Amino acid sequence: MTVVRSRTLRRMRFDKTLDVERAMAIYAHPDDAEFGMAGTVAKWAKAGVEFTYCMVTNGASGSQDPDMTRERLRDIRAAEQSEAARILGVKNVVFLEFEDGYLEPTIDVRRAVARQIRIHRPDVIFTMDPTMRYGGGYVNHPDHIAAAEVVLRSINPDASTRQMLPELWQKEHLEPHKPKALFLMAFGAPDTVVDVSDVVDTKIKALLAHRSQIDEDSVDFIKGWMKEAGKKKRYAYAEGFKVLRFEEDGAPRRDARREGRKAPQARGRRASPSTTPSRPARRRR
């Protein structure tokens, strides 16, 4: 595991119910974060939010080149991810280095992710939607689903419950932590859209840092995708999310069983349901 870290902290108000000092994106491969949320990352980092990237796999499977080795590709993609993070203003980059293409939500992966959440203590966590399996001529990569599933398990119970993975607080002195909100990248039917018009060029530059994966001719399609996401709110470019809000520390806890396990209602700017692209951008994984 490698951590690149510095520290500058300011509070950003996302809306009247959500203040953010720290945010964290947890995802499977290099370029996953840049593809669906890099505009939001750049916007929040510019506002002073301390952003942490946590890449779960080593990215070593993402090539069709018969002369490429897994070891060399791992190093190439780690360098590309570090460069993209620098462009976006991401402060901390964590490489967990599980094997690309073999990821499962095992207890070892869950422990590694929960550890990072307890270390960095984000107000908001970003990940993919684990319920997205296929659509628009695209079958979702199983690592995407597994990484997102691990994030859900981190919120309940892995990172938030003291007696779950007790070695994290007994031996490593990492107290439990639960974020205020979870943002799931939504490529269809988002309930919240973020205006990224002023940082779209930064997003594209960060995407193109992944030279082993992203083609130049993908740029127009990706911009078209973001234009579609922003249409209803009349944003030039936007990114869409499904947002879950959680109770803040110190708030009275409800008995979920008595309340019929009602899903939390996401607040925020409502989005158009028709933001799914007709085909995926040209990327190699």
Side-chain angles (χ1 to χ4, degrees), residues 94-119:
V94 180
F95 300 97
L96 297 184
E97 298 184 356
F98 290 93
E99 283 297 326
D100 181 359
Y102 299 83
L103 192 66
E104 299 284 350
T106 65
I107 197 65
D108 288 340
V109 179
R110 291 167 59 186
R111 183 185 295 107
V113 169
R115 176 181 291 114
Q116 293 304 317
I117 292 172
R118 293 186 188 210
I119 289 171

Side-chain angles (χ1 to χ4, degrees), residues 4-245:
V4 182
R5 187 170 188 180
S6 63
R7 188 162 182 82
T8 304
L9 202 63
R10 293 205 308 269
R11 178 173 296 182
M12 180 201 75
R13 172 151 288 187
F14 177 69
D15 60 25
K16 65 181 180 181
T17 66
L18 181 60
D19 289 337
V20 183
E21 291 182 342
R22 295 174 296 273
M24 189 173 194
I26 303 171
Y27 54 96
H29 312 112
D31 85 15
D32 287 349
E34 277 71 55
F35 212 78
M37 68 176 78
T40 303
V41 172
K43 187 183 182 91
W44 287 23
K46 188 177 180 181
V49 173
E50 181 182 274
F51 225 106
T52 296
Y53 269 6
C54 180
M55 189 178 76
V56 181
T57 82
N58 59 14
S61 294
S63 176
Q64 299 284 13
D65 182 353
D67 296 322
M68 180 63 71
T69 67
R70 292 183 66 84
E71 293 75 20
R72 186 155 65 95
L73 186 59
R74 174 198 64 200
D75 294 343
I76 289 170
R77 299 197 71 191
E80 290 173 348
Q81 181 61 97
S82 295
E83 174 64 10
R86 184 195 64 77
I87 290 167
L88 295 169
V90 172
K91 298 298 183 183
N92 315 307
V93 184
V94 180
F95 300 97
L96 297 184
E97 298 184 356
F98 290 93
E99 283 297 326
D100 181 359
Y102 299 83
L103 192 66
E104 299 284 350
T106 65
I107 197 65
D108 288 340
V109 179
R110 291 167 59 186
R111 183 185 295 107
V113 169
R115 176 181 291 114
Q116 293 304 317
I117 292 172
R118 293 186 188 210
I119 289 171
H120 295 281
R121 309 186 75 77
D123 298 306
V124 174
I125 293 176
F126 289 78
T127 194
M128 290 191 178
D129 183 345
T131 67
M132 191 278 185
R133 299 182 65 83
Y134 56 85
Y138 173 70
V139 174
N140 200 7
H141 195 290
D143 285 0
H144 297 163
I145 299 168
E149 177 64 27
V150 167
V151 173
L152 265 62
R153 296 185 192 196
S154 75
I155 290 170
N156 185 19
D158 296 347
S160 62
T161 304
R162 185 172 299 279
Q163 296 303 334
M164 184 65 194
L165 304 170
E167 64 273 19
L168 292 180
W169 65 272
Q170 290 176 343
K171 296 180 180 179
E172 301 182 39
H173 310 292
L174 297 173
E175 288 294 313
H177 178 73
K178 185 175 184 179
K180 297 175 184 178
L182 174 65
F183 281 50
L184 300 176
M185 284 194 291
F187 298 105
D191 57 40
T192 301
V193 293
V194 176
D195 182 4
V196 298
S197 305
D198 61 341
V199 292
V200 65
D201 291 339
T202 304
K203 168 172 175 155
I204 297 302
K205 185 177 179 181
L207 258 173
L208 292 176
H210 297 279
R211 289 174 288 277
S212 70
Q213 305 294 308
I214 304 297
D215 295 329
E216 285 275 357
D217 59 2
S218 295
V219 170
D220 288 343
F221 174 77
I222 293 166
K223 284 187 172 181
W225 193 356
M226 290 189 290
K227 285 179 181 178
E228 184 65 26
K231 270 186 178 179
K232 188 171 183 180
K233 299 299 294 186
R234 297 184 179 179
Y235 299 149
Y237 298 99
E239 292 172 341
F241 302 93
K242 296 178 182 178
V243 179
L244 284 74
R245 309 285 180 121

